[in-house]
Amino acid sequence: MSEGSKGSSLAFGQVVIGPPGSGKTTYCHGMQEFMGRIGRKVTVVNLDPANEAMPYQCAVDVAELITLPDVMDTLKLGPNGGLIYCMEYLEANFDWLQEKLAAFRGHYYLFDCPGQVELYTHHDALKNVFAQLAKWNFRLAAVHLVDSHYCTDPGKFISVLCTSLSTMLHVELPHVNVLSKMDLIEQYGKLAFNLDYYTEVLDLSYLVDHLASDPFFRNYRRLNEKLVEVIEDYSLVSFVPLNVQDKESMRQVMQAVDKANGYSFGDQEQRSLEALMSAAVGADFHFASTLAVQEKYVQAQDKAVEEEVMEL
């Protein structure tokens, strides 16, 4: 994997990013197991210096280079400043990362990244790490996880859309936005619109109108309208729903990522034409996935209503 060596083989993988609690480590664990069952050799790389309890088999751990507790104790920094220092230290030690990754040539890589949002919206350390990996012939896609409970709050959902757009523009990688923990969405409350409204990010003016019904947000209608205009003008943000416990959901996310980073069209695996086309369908399997989750969600809502009626 020498830098700039065009003759070296390609390496494919995912950088798993997103805010704290969005399920990045759980996703890496689930995807490692899922890909292992279909015969793909997977290497998980932990780039989170604060990640201590890892359920997956970790092949490369940034804790061997630097840890957040050590930085906080030595430099008297808080968790946010400490994480930024750790990522800058990793950026300054590319040779360590290159040496570790070289032992797993021919594998598919999952990079489990820290949860600090600033690292993906405006700080350059991790962005530079991803750019260096690209110079080593890594073909990566960013998998941006967002907790699905934000769909139940229109104000938070607009905030998530702005964060997702900012992340996509800053990280500069092929990007797949994922609504995680879809199996728990019925516990968060009733959605104002059908699920496909949130996954496909349809006409957001309805969301602004819904917000305007709240006395607090009514005073910020113009601000919300402008934020929505920015999101719609770029027309980049959409989501794939994910339930890590559901194999079909994992397959659909994997296909979206394989399409984004080019794995489906590379020479790393012998694939049938049928498998190739299934990954290239695009919105069709997103729509099918959304319908399946929506059906489960509606059934859960109907059951809850029936139980309330029975109690009365």
mmCIF file of all heavy atoms in Angstrom, residues 256-294:
data_model
loop_
_atom_site.group_PDB
_atom_site.id
_atom_site.type_symbol
_atom_site.label_atom_id
_atom_site.label_comp_id
_atom_site.label_asym_id
_atom_site.label_seq_id
_atom_site.Cartn_x
_atom_site.Cartn_y
_atom_site.Cartn_z
ATOM 1 N N ALA A 256 -26.314 -0.649 -0.658
ATOM 2 C CA ALA A 256 -26.201 0.792 -0.880
ATOM 3 C C ALA A 256 -24.759 1.251 -0.738
ATOM 4 O O ALA A 256 -24.263 2.063 -1.526
ATOM 5 C CB ALA A 256 -27.108 1.548 0.099
ATOM 6 N N VAL A 257 -24.054 0.705 0.260
ATOM 7 C CA VAL A 257 -22.654 1.079 0.485
ATOM 8 C C VAL A 257 -21.773 0.509 -0.625
ATOM 9 O O VAL A 257 -20.865 1.187 -1.128
ATOM 10 C CB VAL A 257 -22.175 0.598 1.868
ATOM 11 C CG1 VAL A 257 -20.701 0.922 2.064
ATOM 12 C CG2 VAL A 257 -23.009 1.239 2.975
ATOM 13 N N ASP A 258 -22.028 -0.738 -1.019
ATOM 14 C CA ASP A 258 -21.245 -1.356 -2.101
ATOM 15 C C ASP A 258 -21.378 -0.568 -3.396
ATOM 16 O O ASP A 258 -20.420 -0.443 -4.169
ATOM 17 C CB ASP A 258 -21.701 -2.798 -2.334
ATOM 18 C CG ASP A 258 -21.185 -3.758 -1.265
ATOM 19 O OD1 ASP A 258 -20.358 -3.309 -0.434
ATOM 20 O OD2 ASP A 258 -21.596 -4.921 -1.268
ATOM 21 N N LYS A 259 -22.546 -0.047 -3.642
ATOM 22 C CA LYS A 259 -22.756 0.783 -4.832
ATOM 23 C C LYS A 259 -21.993 2.101 -4.701
ATOM 24 O O LYS A 259 -21.402 2.583 -5.675
ATOM 25 C CB LYS A 259 -24.250 1.060 -5.021
ATOM 26 C CG LYS A 259 -24.571 1.922 -6.237
ATOM 27 C CD LYS A 259 -26.046 2.270 -6.282
ATOM 28 C CE LYS A 259 -26.331 3.255 -7.413
ATOM 29 N NZ LYS A 259 -27.720 3.737 -7.399
ATOM 30 N N ALA A 260 -21.980 2.663 -3.486
ATOM 31 C CA ALA A 260 -21.347 3.969 -3.272
ATOM 32 C C ALA A 260 -19.834 3.911 -3.417
ATOM 33 O O ALA A 260 -19.223 4.803 -4.021
ATOM 34 C CB ALA A 260 -21.728 4.510 -1.887
ATOM 35 N N ASN A 261 -19.193 2.874 -2.855
ATOM 36 C CA ASN A 261 -17.722 2.825 -2.910
ATOM 37 C C ASN A 261 -17.189 2.030 -4.097
ATOM 38 O O ASN A 261 -15.976 1.935 -4.295
ATOM 39 C CB ASN A 261 -17.136 2.291 -1.598
ATOM 40 C CG ASN A 261 -17.492 0.839 -1.314
ATOM 41 O OD1 ASN A 261 -17.969 0.106 -2.174
ATOM 42 N ND2 ASN A 261 -17.257 0.415 -0.075
ATOM 43 N N GLY A 262 -18.108 1.460 -4.905
ATOM 44 C CA GLY A 262 -17.679 0.769 -6.114
ATOM 45 C C GLY A 262 -17.320 -0.683 -5.917
ATOM 46 O O GLY A 262 -16.843 -1.328 -6.845
ATOM 47 N N TYR A 263 -17.546 -1.227 -4.733
ATOM 48 C CA TYR A 263 -17.169 -2.614 -4.465
ATOM 49 C C TYR A 263 -17.890 -3.583 -5.408
ATOM 50 O O TYR A 263 -17.303 -4.571 -5.872
ATOM 51 C CB TYR A 263 -17.494 -2.969 -3.020
ATOM 52 C CG TYR A 263 -17.081 -4.379 -2.630
ATOM 53 C CD1 TYR A 263 -15.796 -4.647 -2.180
ATOM 54 C CD2 TYR A 263 -17.985 -5.435 -2.713
ATOM 55 C CE1 TYR A 263 -15.411 -5.931 -1.828
ATOM 56 C CE2 TYR A 263 -17.611 -6.715 -2.367
ATOM 57 C CZ TYR A 263 -16.331 -6.963 -1.920
ATOM 58 O OH TYR A 263 -15.959 -8.236 -1.578
ATOM 59 N N SER A 264 -19.146 -3.307 -5.702
ATOM 60 C CA SER A 264 -19.931 -4.190 -6.564
ATOM 61 C C SER A 264 -19.333 -4.310 -7.951
ATOM 62 O O SER A 264 -19.532 -5.303 -8.646
ATOM 63 C CB SER A 264 -21.371 -3.661 -6.690
ATOM 64 O OG SER A 264 -22.006 -3.677 -5.439
ATOM 65 N N PHE A 265 -18.617 -3.276 -8.363
ATOM 66 C CA PHE A 265 -18.118 -3.235 -9.725
ATOM 67 C C PHE A 265 -16.612 -3.453 -9.799
ATOM 68 O O PHE A 265 -15.993 -3.267 -10.835
ATOM 69 C CB PHE A 265 -18.471 -1.884 -10.352
ATOM 70 C CG PHE A 265 -19.905 -1.507 -10.132
ATOM 71 C CD1 PHE A 265 -20.252 -0.565 -9.178
ATOM 72 C CD2 PHE A 265 -20.911 -2.119 -10.846
ATOM 73 C CE1 PHE A 265 -21.574 -0.225 -8.956
ATOM 74 C CE2 PHE A 265 -22.231 -1.782 -10.630
ATOM 75 C CZ PHE A 265 -22.574 -0.837 -9.685
ATOM 76 N N GLY A 266 -16.009 -3.848 -8.675
ATOM 77 C CA GLY A 266 -14.565 -4.073 -8.658
ATOM 78 C C GLY A 266 -14.227 -5.516 -8.952
ATOM 79 O O GLY A 266 -15.073 -6.329 -9.318
ATOM 80 N N ASP A 267 -12.954 -5.860 -8.778
ATOM 81 C CA ASP A 267 -12.495 -7.210 -9.094
ATOM 82 C C ASP A 267 -12.188 -8.020 -7.839
ATOM 83 O O ASP A 267 -11.506 -9.032 -7.894
ATOM 84 C CB ASP A 267 -11.251 -7.147 -9.989
ATOM 85 C CG ASP A 267 -10.111 -6.374 -9.339
ATOM 86 O OD1 ASP A 267 -10.317 -5.874 -8.216
ATOM 87 O OD2 ASP A 267 -9.044 -6.273 -9.955
ATOM 88 N N GLN A 268 -12.724 -7.562 -6.689
ATOM 89 C CA GLN A 268 -12.418 -8.241 -5.442
ATOM 90 C C GLN A 268 -13.224 -9.528 -5.263
ATOM 91 O O GLN A 268 -12.852 -10.407 -4.526
ATOM 92 C CB GLN A 268 -12.681 -7.302 -4.255
ATOM 93 C CG GLN A 268 -11.812 -6.052 -4.247
ATOM 94 C CD GLN A 268 -10.350 -6.376 -4.157
ATOM 95 O OE1 GLN A 268 -9.626 -6.302 -5.132
ATOM 96 N NE2 GLN A 268 -9.895 -6.777 -2.996
ATOM 97 N N GLU A 269 -14.370 -9.633 -5.907
ATOM 98 C CA GLU A 269 -15.231 -10.792 -5.759
ATOM 99 C C GLU A 269 -15.810 -11.169 -7.097
ATOM 100 O O GLU A 269 -16.115 -10.291 -7.916
ATOM 101 C CB GLU A 269 -16.394 -10.471 -4.797
ATOM 102 C CG GLU A 269 -16.183 -10.911 -3.381
ATOM 103 C CD GLU A 269 -17.430 -10.646 -2.535
ATOM 104 O OE1 GLU A 269 -18.508 -10.418 -3.104
ATOM 105 O OE2 GLU A 269 -17.300 -10.671 -1.310
ATOM 106 N N GLN A 270 -15.980 -12.462 -7.340
ATOM 107 C CA GLN A 270 -16.681 -12.925 -8.531
ATOM 108 C C GLN A 270 -18.171 -12.907 -8.211
ATOM 109 O O GLN A 270 -18.641 -13.543 -7.290
ATOM 110 C CB GLN A 270 -16.224 -14.354 -8.887
ATOM 111 C CG GLN A 270 -14.788 -14.439 -9.371
ATOM 112 C CD GLN A 270 -14.571 -13.677 -10.671
ATOM 113 O OE1 GLN A 270 -15.429 -13.665 -11.534
ATOM 114 N NE2 GLN A 270 -13.427 -13.031 -10.783
ATOM 115 N N ARG A 271 -18.901 -12.100 -8.973
ATOM 116 C CA ARG A 271 -20.325 -11.955 -8.699
ATOM 117 C C ARG A 271 -21.142 -12.329 -9.923
ATOM 118 O O ARG A 271 -20.728 -12.099 -11.049
ATOM 119 C CB ARG A 271 -20.666 -10.509 -8.302
ATOM 120 C CG ARG A 271 -20.022 -10.090 -6.998
ATOM 121 C CD ARG A 271 -20.298 -8.630 -6.746
ATOM 122 N NE ARG A 271 -19.775 -8.246 -5.449
ATOM 123 C CZ ARG A 271 -20.442 -8.350 -4.309
ATOM 124 N NH1 ARG A 271 -21.657 -8.844 -4.314
ATOM 125 N NH2 ARG A 271 -19.905 -7.986 -3.171
ATOM 126 N N SER A 272 -22.316 -12.820 -9.687
ATOM 127 C CA SER A 272 -23.228 -13.079 -10.798
ATOM 128 C C SER A 272 -23.828 -11.767 -11.258
ATOM 129 O O SER A 272 -23.837 -10.765 -10.539
ATOM 130 C CB SER A 272 -24.344 -14.022 -10.353
ATOM 131 O OG SER A 272 -25.159 -13.382 -9.390
ATOM 132 N N LEU A 273 -24.333 -11.742 -12.481
ATOM 133 C CA LEU A 273 -24.961 -10.535 -13.015
ATOM 134 C C LEU A 273 -26.165 -10.144 -12.170
ATOM 135 O O LEU A 273 -26.431 -8.961 -11.957
ATOM 136 C CB LEU A 273 -25.396 -10.775 -14.464
ATOM 137 C CG LEU A 273 -26.065 -9.592 -15.179
ATOM 138 C CD1 LEU A 273 -25.110 -8.399 -15.249
ATOM 139 C CD2 LEU A 273 -26.519 -9.999 -16.582
ATOM 140 N N GLU A 274 -26.857 -11.128 -11.647
ATOM 141 C CA GLU A 274 -28.030 -10.847 -10.828
ATOM 142 C C GLU A 274 -27.647 -10.085 -9.564
ATOM 143 O O GLU A 274 -28.298 -9.112 -9.186
ATOM 144 C CB GLU A 274 -28.728 -12.155 -10.464
ATOM 145 C CG GLU A 274 -29.972 -11.967 -9.595
ATOM 146 C CD GLU A 274 -30.616 -13.278 -9.234
ATOM 147 O OE1 GLU A 274 -30.162 -14.315 -9.760
ATOM 148 O OE2 GLU A 274 -31.557 -13.274 -8.429
ATOM 149 N N ALA A 275 -26.563 -10.528 -8.893
ATOM 150 C CA ALA A 275 -26.115 -9.847 -7.683
ATOM 151 C C ALA A 275 -25.643 -8.440 -7.994
ATOM 152 O O ALA A 275 -25.880 -7.498 -7.232
ATOM 153 C CB ALA A 275 -24.991 -10.642 -7.019
ATOM 154 N N LEU A 276 -24.981 -8.273 -9.136
ATOM 155 C CA LEU A 276 -24.497 -6.961 -9.541
ATOM 156 C C LEU A 276 -25.655 -6.005 -9.765
ATOM 157 O O LEU A 276 -25.648 -4.863 -9.305
ATOM 158 C CB LEU A 276 -23.662 -7.092 -10.821
ATOM 159 C CG LEU A 276 -23.042 -5.799 -11.369
ATOM 160 C CD1 LEU A 276 -21.992 -5.272 -10.415
ATOM 161 C CD2 LEU A 276 -22.422 -6.066 -12.723
ATOM 162 N N MET A 277 -26.685 -6.472 -10.454
ATOM 163 C CA MET A 277 -27.828 -5.620 -10.756
ATOM 164 C C MET A 277 -28.619 -5.285 -9.503
ATOM 165 O O MET A 277 -29.154 -4.187 -9.372
ATOM 166 C CB MET A 277 -28.731 -6.308 -11.782
ATOM 167 C CG MET A 277 -28.100 -6.438 -13.162
ATOM 168 S SD MET A 277 -27.531 -4.851 -13.835
ATOM 169 C CE MET A 277 -29.106 -4.013 -14.030
ATOM 170 N N SER A 278 -28.683 -6.212 -8.574
ATOM 171 C CA SER A 278 -29.446 -5.950 -7.358
ATOM 172 C C SER A 278 -28.832 -4.820 -6.553
ATOM 173 O O SER A 278 -29.521 -4.073 -5.871
ATOM 174 C CB SER A 278 -29.527 -7.216 -6.497
ATOM 175 O OG SER A 278 -28.264 -7.548 -5.972
ATOM 176 N N ALA A 279 -27.504 -4.662 -6.639
ATOM 177 C CA ALA A 279 -26.832 -3.571 -5.930
ATOM 178 C C ALA A 279 -26.960 -2.261 -6.681
ATOM 179 O O ALA A 279 -26.776 -1.192 -6.110
ATOM 180 C CB ALA A 279 -25.357 -3.905 -5.737
ATOM 181 N N ALA A 280 -27.283 -2.324 -7.989
ATOM 182 C CA ALA A 280 -27.340 -1.114 -8.802
ATOM 183 C C ALA A 280 -28.745 -0.575 -8.969
ATOM 184 O O ALA A 280 -28.966 0.406 -9.662
ATOM 185 C CB ALA A 280 -26.746 -1.402 -10.191
ATOM 186 N N VAL A 281 -29.724 -1.226 -8.320
ATOM 187 C CA VAL A 281 -31.115 -0.807 -8.497
ATOM 188 C C VAL A 281 -31.341 0.603 -7.985
ATOM 189 O O VAL A 281 -32.074 1.384 -8.557
ATOM 190 C CB VAL A 281 -32.052 -1.809 -7.780
ATOM 191 C CG1 VAL A 281 -33.456 -1.244 -7.680
ATOM 192 C CG2 VAL A 281 -32.087 -3.120 -8.551
ATOM 193 N N GLY A 282 -30.685 0.966 -6.888
ATOM 194 C CA GLY A 282 -30.801 2.326 -6.363
ATOM 195 C C GLY A 282 -32.027 2.496 -5.503
ATOM 196 O O GLY A 282 -32.215 1.810 -4.514
ATOM 197 N N ALA A 283 -32.915 3.410 -5.906
ATOM 198 C CA ALA A 283 -34.038 3.795 -5.059
ATOM 199 C C ALA A 283 -35.037 2.667 -4.866
ATOM 200 O O ALA A 283 -35.781 2.658 -3.892
ATOM 201 C CB ALA A 283 -34.744 5.012 -5.651
ATOM 202 N N ASP A 284 -35.070 1.681 -5.772
ATOM 203 C CA ASP A 284 -36.073 0.636 -5.680
ATOM 204 C C ASP A 284 -35.976 -0.127 -4.370
ATOM 205 O O ASP A 284 -36.968 -0.331 -3.680
ATOM 206 C CB ASP A 284 -35.945 -0.352 -6.853
ATOM 207 C CG ASP A 284 -36.382 0.279 -8.166
ATOM 208 O OD1 ASP A 284 -36.906 1.405 -8.109
ATOM 209 O OD2 ASP A 284 -36.193 -0.348 -9.215
ATOM 210 N N PHE A 285 -34.765 -0.566 -4.001
ATOM 211 C CA PHE A 285 -34.675 -1.339 -2.773
ATOM 212 C C PHE A 285 -34.788 -0.435 -1.554
ATOM 213 O O PHE A 285 -35.188 -0.871 -0.491
ATOM 214 C CB PHE A 285 -33.411 -2.219 -2.728
ATOM 215 C CG PHE A 285 -32.104 -1.491 -2.691
ATOM 216 C CD1 PHE A 285 -31.653 -0.893 -1.526
ATOM 217 C CD2 PHE A 285 -31.317 -1.441 -3.809
ATOM 218 C CE1 PHE A 285 -30.447 -0.254 -1.488
ATOM 219 C CE2 PHE A 285 -30.094 -0.793 -3.767
ATOM 220 C CZ PHE A 285 -29.657 -0.194 -2.612
ATOM 221 N N HIS A 286 -34.451 0.861 -1.691
ATOM 222 C CA HIS A 286 -34.693 1.792 -0.586
ATOM 223 C C HIS A 286 -36.188 1.854 -0.307
ATOM 224 O O HIS A 286 -36.637 1.813 0.821
ATOM 225 C CB HIS A 286 -34.208 3.202 -0.952
ATOM 226 C CG HIS A 286 -32.717 3.309 -0.993
ATOM 227 N ND1 HIS A 286 -32.077 4.524 -0.918
ATOM 228 C CD2 HIS A 286 -31.748 2.384 -1.096
ATOM 229 C CE1 HIS A 286 -30.768 4.343 -0.983
ATOM 230 N NE2 HIS A 286 -30.553 3.039 -1.096
ATOM 231 N N PHE A 287 -36.975 1.944 -1.387
ATOM 232 C CA PHE A 287 -38.420 2.082 -1.256
ATOM 233 C C PHE A 287 -39.016 0.823 -0.647
ATOM 234 O O PHE A 287 -39.852 0.878 0.250
ATOM 235 C CB PHE A 287 -39.035 2.352 -2.627
ATOM 236 C CG PHE A 287 -40.526 2.587 -2.596
ATOM 237 C CD1 PHE A 287 -41.045 3.711 -1.977
ATOM 238 C CD2 PHE A 287 -41.395 1.671 -3.173
ATOM 239 C CE1 PHE A 287 -42.416 3.929 -1.942
ATOM 240 C CE2 PHE A 287 -42.756 1.880 -3.139
ATOM 241 C CZ PHE A 287 -43.274 3.005 -2.526
ATOM 242 N N ALA A 288 -38.536 -0.357 -1.120
ATOM 243 C CA ALA A 288 -39.035 -1.619 -0.590
ATOM 244 C C ALA A 288 -38.707 -1.747 0.891
ATOM 245 O O ALA A 288 -39.515 -2.203 1.700
ATOM 246 C CB ALA A 288 -38.439 -2.788 -1.367
ATOM 247 N N SER A 289 -37.496 -1.324 1.260
ATOM 248 C CA SER A 289 -37.078 -1.386 2.658
ATOM 249 C C SER A 289 -37.940 -0.473 3.514
ATOM 250 O O SER A 289 -38.377 -0.843 4.602
ATOM 251 C CB SER A 289 -35.607 -0.990 2.777
ATOM 252 O OG SER A 289 -35.235 -0.867 4.122
ATOM 253 N N THR A 290 -38.203 0.719 3.009
ATOM 254 C CA THR A 290 -39.021 1.676 3.756
ATOM 255 C C THR A 290 -40.429 1.152 3.953
ATOM 256 O O THR A 290 -41.022 1.293 5.022
ATOM 257 C CB THR A 290 -39.066 3.022 3.013
ATOM 258 O OG1 THR A 290 -37.732 3.496 2.846
ATOM 259 C CG2 THR A 290 -39.854 4.049 3.802
ATOM 260 N N LEU A 291 -40.985 0.521 2.910
ATOM 261 C CA LEU A 291 -42.332 -0.029 3.013
ATOM 262 C C LEU A 291 -42.406 -1.093 4.101
ATOM 263 O O LEU A 291 -43.369 -1.141 4.877
ATOM 264 C CB LEU A 291 -42.756 -0.641 1.669
ATOM 265 C CG LEU A 291 -43.169 0.341 0.562
ATOM 266 C CD1 LEU A 291 -43.516 -0.438 -0.695
ATOM 267 C CD2 LEU A 291 -44.342 1.197 1.005
ATOM 268 N N ALA A 292 -41.381 -1.951 4.162
ATOM 269 C CA ALA A 292 -41.373 -3.020 5.161
ATOM 270 C C ALA A 292 -41.340 -2.453 6.571
ATOM 271 O O ALA A 292 -42.080 -2.892 7.455
ATOM 272 C CB ALA A 292 -40.180 -3.939 4.925
ATOM 273 N N VAL A 293 -40.486 -1.460 6.793
ATOM 274 C CA VAL A 293 -40.387 -0.851 8.122
ATOM 275 C C VAL A 293 -41.660 -0.093 8.455
ATOM 276 O O VAL A 293 -42.162 -0.146 9.577
ATOM 277 C CB VAL A 293 -39.170 0.096 8.190
ATOM 278 C CG1 VAL A 293 -39.127 0.795 9.535
ATOM 279 C CG2 VAL A 293 -37.887 -0.678 7.954
ATOM 280 N N GLN A 294 -42.216 0.621 7.449
ATOM 281 C CA GLN A 294 -43.441 1.380 7.661
ATOM 282 C C GLN A 294 -44.585 0.454 8.062
ATOM 283 O O GLN A 294 -45.380 0.776 8.949
ATOM 284 C CB GLN A 294 -43.820 2.143 6.376
ATOM 285 C CG GLN A 294 -45.132 2.928 6.469
ATOM 286 C CD GLN A 294 -45.029 4.111 7.411
ATOM 287 O OE1 GLN A 294 -43.960 4.690 7.551
ATOM 288 N NE2 GLN A 294 -46.120 4.467 8.046
#
